Amino acid sequence: MDKIRIRGGRPLHGEIMIGGAKNASLPLMAAGLLTEERLVLGNVPRLADIDTMTSLLAQHGIAVDPVGNDGRTLSLGGAITSTEAPYDIVRKMRASILVLGPLLARCREARVSLPGGCAIGTRPVDLHLKGLEAMGAQIELEAGYINATAPGGLRGAMIVLPFASVGATENLMMAAALADGQTIIANAAREPEIDDLARCLIAMGARIEGLGTGTLTIEGVKALHAAKHNVIPDRIETGTYACAAAITGGTVLLRGADLSHLAAVRSVMDSAGVELTAEPDGVRVTRRNGLHGTDAMTEPYPGFPTDMQAQFLVLMSVAQGAAMVTETIFENRFMHVSELTRMGASINVHGASAIVRGVPSLSGAPVMATDLRASASLVIAGLAAHGETIVNRVYHLDRGYEALEQKLAACGADVERIAG
Ligand code: UD1
């Protein structure tokens, strides 16, 4: 298995190209199931999770073909030949659940493996299922699979989400686009990736109102048609490299990034002594002087993203003073803390909060993480640490960061992938 070797202590200077958002691309690809015509998606990042979604769609009969030479434009199309999403693919990526709504809406049946356990908490899919049931689906759980049918087709419904789940909002919005009548999703998630999906569905002929608000109103239509859509820049990749630049004391232009999606991150980073400024080509990251301990609490958008918690925690681990970082979205999302402690960080977890006491420096060590963002946080720690850090289980990083080591090396980091 590949590893990443980092020799820390070098400030990052230069430019990093920010790719299309993984978490927007995955639901957008699932939306390819909603039409028999072609859906063309531009600015799709080249990531292992995109390959997993490609395999899943192929299993349903939808071909995902690259268009042109950039490898970032995908054309999706084909007739649905299977409504089953098997365990072997779903277990690799939880976002596979996003095929459930589209399959049910298009084919009136779907059999999707339950995603099962996950390193960052139990992560049930009950909100997806309850919403689909409200739309008339009959759902049974059997032998680890969700068996869903809607013999008369899905019909519009009033759905109040008890929690603004990103995936449930996406699944239900896609299903509602082809349901009979009006669906209202109240307490819908408001993440930019949801807006991006809604804009693509509208380009495909869907009737959706309330974008960017907590209430989405969807008038079902009989069929959706071909469309072309460009994926928004990845705000989490942006925030990750912002933390990387800041911890090394460097200055980096994150080319193509959109600061408007990062208001909460910008504000917290500002208090910590790091400036994120919009430039015509992207976002510039500059550290004013030292880093200051700053509290942060993860919340649904527009709050501070849970997917930035681990990276920000590392930044705080070398800040002056103390910081309290509270995780409200996922239970059990502090698995990176024990590895950071091995690198010399002083962090205590009490329930949903991590209390960080900044230390003057970290020291390199062999480390590994159990999820994507935690792995990214260890890379950031390695960039700041004295000596050599080896990050194991690189496949987590490959799920969500394209060419991570090349992007960092181009800005002066001493980082390389060791094939193993
Ligand atoms: C998406 C993102 C993920 C991010 C998360 C929160 C994608 C592909 N993934 O995941 O990177 O960390 O949003 O911003 O976009 N929950 C339930 N029942 C449900 C659904 C969710 O209890 O049916 C709970 C989860 O266990 C979790 C919380 O709601 O505690 C948030 O989950 P959700 O917003 O659904 O996240 P995902 O869509 O899985």
Side-chain angles (χ1 to χ4, degrees), residues 119-260:
I120 60 174
T122 46
R123 296 182 85 173
V125 291
D126 55 317
L127 304 178
H128 303 237
L129 304 186
K130 278 188 194 131
L132 292 169
E133 276 174 342
M135 296 172 78
Q138 286 158 20
I139 293 179
E140 278 170 22
L141 301 183
E142 179 242 326
Y145 274 79
I146 301 161
N147 290 333
T149 54
L154 293 176
R155 50 176 194 271
M158 172 75 202
I159 300 166
V160 182
L161 292 176
F163 177 85
S165 155
V166 173
T169 303
E170 292 165 343
N171 232 337
L172 298 172
M173 182 165 63
M174 289 191 278
L178 287 181
D180 184 17
Q182 184 184 73
T183 298
I184 296 176
I185 308 175
N187 196 28
R190 289 185 282 161
E191 270 68 2
E193 293 77 19
I194 289 172
D195 262 35
D196 205 35
L197 173 63
R199 276 187 275 110
C200 177
L201 293 173
I202 291 168
M204 294 167 77
R207 294 175 56 197
I208 305 174
E209 283 178 8
L211 269 62
T213 75
T215 306
L216 294 169
T217 305
I218 304 129
E219 293 288 342
V221 295
K222 287 265 178 288
L224 296 178
H225 53 69
K228 218 175 156 187
H229 180 82
N230 263 341
V231 178
I232 53 169
D234 196 314
R235 65 195 166 99
I236 306 302
E237 188 188 26
T238 305
T240 301
Y241 287 121
C243 287
I247 205 166
T248 65
T251 297
V252 169
L253 176 70
L254 302 171
R255 190 174 281 279
D258 184 344
L259 192 54
S260 71

Side-chain angles (χ1 to χ4, degrees), residues 343-398:
M343 295 178 73
S346 169
I347 308 174
N348 287 300
V349 176
H350 296 283
S353 294
I355 317 295
V356 193
R357 289 183 184 84
V359 294
S361 62
L362 300 173
S363 50
V367 286
M368 64 172 144
T370 42
D371 80 75
L372 167 58
R373 307 304 170 184
S375 298
S377 79
L378 297 177
V379 171
I380 295 170
L383 292 171
H386 289 301
E388 187 177 276
T389 296
I390 305 275
V391 180
N392 292 289
R393 296 198 184 167
V394 167
Y395 59 87
H396 286 301
L397 289 167
D398 293 337

Side-chain angles (χ1 to χ4, degrees), residues 255-326:
R255 190 174 281 279
D258 184 344
L259 192 54
S260 71
H261 296 159
L262 285 155
V265 171
R266 180 195 199 180
S267 151
V268 169
M269 296 278 273
D270 189 68
S271 303
V274 182
E275 275 173 24
L276 301 187
T277 38
E279 292 199 0
D281 294 339
V283 173
R284 182 163 299 278
V285 189
T286 329
R287 196 166 101 184
R288 278 194 294 273
N289 286 304
L291 293 166
H292 307 291
T294 303
D295 296 349
M297 183 187 286
T298 66
E299 289 175 316
Y301 191 85
F304 189 89
T306 174
D307 286 351
M308 279 300 301
Q309 179 256 104
Q311 302 89 313
F312 183 70
L313 196 69
V314 174
L315 202 59
M316 291 299 91
S317 73
V318 291
Q320 273 184 359
M324 183 164 84
V325 178
T326 304

